[in-house]
Amino acid sequence: MTDVRPMIEVRGARKFFGPLEVLKGIDFSVARGQIVAVIGPSGSGKSTLLRSINHLETLDGGEVWLDGVQVNQTLARRAFEKHINSVRQQMGMVFQHFNLFPHLSVAENIAIAPMKLKGMAKADARALALKMLDKVGLADKIDAFPARLSGGQKQRVAIARALAMQPKVMLFDEATSALDPELVDEVNLVMKQLAAEHMTMVIVTHEMRFAAEVADRVIFMADGAVVEEGKPDDLFRNPVQERTRSFLKKFLNG
């Protein structure tokens, strides 16, 4: 029997920062192998939603599910820590800033998690690092240190590091927003390659053209809510909601 469960499912997600409600009952799901782009103005709750999927932000209401397992379960502290560490190993996360360890080589940055979390032998972890670096076009940088890399190269190493854990999904939080414009394309190319391999991905991005090219579905958020969602062609060319039309007009004409 075919497993038709969503890979990611968010049900009624609510989040407050003090009196401010930043997520107002969000519902959405991501099918296996689907690429979903999340767009919207600054402060709309996009990054908070993404961080809530792997419990970097704790929801005040609602549920998050990964491949049929509830991420934000109510458990005793030690049991929950074990549970969330297990879940996070199945979700690769790439942030705006690269978060590489400056005192470790590229190979060591990638190998450290498989060694510590999966008990992988050092030689095997290095071989895995080389394989992941080759995937992102940086095999020749295996022994380099982060200080010697460009911003685009650092972000590609960060992607390789996430992929080394062989995650079920990849989450990208404005992965190119901290890069100089000429370095954006090299990171986007890696993400396009992952899309071609049918990696399940949720991508928060401000790049409309990239979202249109790579996503199966686009979600437009504003003021902590999903305003509209649909296929890229439909949402970008013929948005239904006035809030979406207003955003796209300003963004695309700006």
Side-chain angles (χ1 to χ4, degrees):
M1 186 174 178
T2 303
D3 187 349
V4 295
R5 292 179 306 185
M7 180 59 78
I8 298 171
E9 189 170 10
V10 178
R11 306 173 185 169
R14 300 185 71 199
K15 177 65 180 177
F16 290 85
F17 290 129
L20 179 64
E21 188 175 17
V22 293
L23 296 179
K24 302 175 180 178
I26 301 289
D27 293 293
F28 83 102
S29 62
V30 183
R32 296 168 191 275
Q34 190 175 52
I35 296 92
V36 174
V38 184
I39 64 171
S42 297
S44 60
K46 305 184 301 297
S47 291
T48 300
L49 175 62
L50 197 73
R51 290 170 61 85
S52 297
I53 292 174
N54 69 353
H55 204 72
L56 289 174
E57 297 288 355
T58 303
L59 290 177
D60 295 304
E63 300 174 355
V64 177
W65 293 73
L66 173 70
D67 198 16
V69 175
Q70 187 177 349
V71 174
N72 60 332
Q73 295 181 22
T74 302
L75 298 168
R77 182 176 177 181
R78 285 190 178 182
F80 182 77
E81 287 177 355
K82 183 177 180 180
H83 161 72
I84 199 64
N85 287 337
S86 173
V87 168
R88 284 177 178 157
Q89 290 181 39
Q90 302 173 58
M91 290 191 267
M93 181 95 177
V94 179
F95 301 89
Q96 294 180 29
H97 300 286
F98 328 112
N99 297 335
L100 301 179
F101 296 111
H103 62 290
L104 299 180
S105 70
V106 165
E108 291 167 335
N109 265 283
I110 296 170
I112 188 170
M115 289 170 62
K116 286 195 170 185
L117 299 177
K118 292 190 172 182
M120 190 175 288
K122 185 175 182 179
D124 292 338
R126 181 178 171 87
L128 176 63
L130 181 59
K131 181 179 178 181
M132 295 300 104
L133 284 170
D134 187 56
K135 191 178 187 72
V136 300
L138 288 175
D140 60 326
K141 301 295 184 182
I142 189 166
D143 291 315
F145 283 80
R148 304 302 297 268
L149 303 178
S150 70
Q153 289 171 334
K154 289 176 184 176
Q155 195 60 295
R156 284 190 281 162
V157 171
I159 294 172
R161 178 179 59 186
L163 290 173
M165 291 299 291
Q166 298 178 308
K168 292 180 177 180
V169 304
M170 287 287 288
L171 309 175
F172 293 89
D173 186 10
E174 297 277 17
T176 59
S177 65
L179 301 178
D180 293 333
E182 64 269 22
L183 301 176
V184 169
D185 285 348
E186 66 184 69
V187 176
N188 282 346
L189 179 60
V190 173
M191 294 164 70
K192 287 178 182 178
Q193 290 170 346
L194 293 176
E197 296 170 6
H198 304 291
M199 167 64 79
T200 307
M201 296 192 286
V202 181
I203 304 169
V204 170
T205 182
H206 63 280
E207 296 179 63
M208 302 300 113
R209 183 176 298 176
F210 174 72
E213 289 176 357
V214 77
D216 299 307
R217 196 164 103 249
V218 178
I219 293 174
F220 171 65
M221 288 184 65
D223 302 318
V226 173
V227 175
E228 187 169 352
E229 61 178 291
K231 294 181 179 179
D233 280 354
D234 296 334
L235 190 137
F236 286 120
R237 294 183 182 181
N238 190 30
V240 174
Q241 301 297 326
E242 175 57 34
R243 184 70 180 85
T244 314
R245 289 197 293 269
S246 175
F247 170 78
L248 291 175
K249 183 177 180 181
K250 290 178 181 177
F251 205 102
L252 298 175
N253 293 341

